[in-house]
Amino acid sequence: GMADPNGYGWAITKSLAEAGATIVVGVWPPALKIFETNLRRGKFDEDMMLADGSKMIIEKIYPQDAVYDTPDDVPEEIKTNKRYAGLDGYTISEVAAKVASDYPQGIDVLVH
């Protein structure tokens, strides 16, 4: 996933950035705060360096839990879990709607 620079998601994202893609990611809610903190503190800076010497830019980060298609699918114990506290709109349908709203021109590729 994207929460760790050692995963396939990171490698795919970095390759897309090398090709000039605008990078927008979804991060599993329990890992979101850690990911954002590590990103802000520069812990991924070395892993974000592209071949041309520039740094990969992550334009937008969405909380995303791909286990749930709609809000009705999310069990109460997840909704009330402290790692999901303060988050909404993390189901597949909600993230898709946010992406459609934020990028009305559309997107070229989605990797999960």
Side-chain angles (χ1 to χ4, degrees):
M2 274 304 299
D4 176 352
N6 297 314
Y8 288 116
W10 188 279
I12 293 167
T13 300
K14 190 169 178 180
S15 292
L16 291 168
E18 292 276 9
T22 299
I23 304 301
V24 177
V25 301
V27 176
W28 186 49
L32 181 63
K33 287 182 183 179
I34 293 168
F35 177 75
E36 290 177 327
T37 298
N38 287 339
L39 191 62
R40 189 174 53 257
R41 291 183 178 168
K43 293 196 176 187
F44 299 137
D45 283 357
E46 187 176 322
D47 298 301
M48 296 175 79
M49 294 309 297
L50 302 177
D52 68 1
S54 66
K55 184 176 166 187
M56 177 173 71
I57 296 170
I58 299 175
E59 183 173 295
K60 189 145 181 93
I61 302 169
Y62 297 96
Q64 179 186 6
D65 194 326
V67 171
Y68 309 109
D69 291 327
T70 69
D72 291 338
D73 297 331
V74 182
E76 193 60 34
E77 64 266 16
I78 295 296
K79 291 178 186 175
T80 58
N81 183 294
K82 69 179 182 178
R83 296 207 248 169
Y84 286 74
L87 299 177
D88 64 350
Y90 51 80
T91 66
I92 293 171
S93 61
E94 292 169 305
V95 174
K98 286 180 185 178
V99 170
S101 175
D102 292 343
Y103 299 90
Q105 73 280 10
I107 61 172
D108 293 320
V109 63
L110 173 90
V111 178
H112 176 263

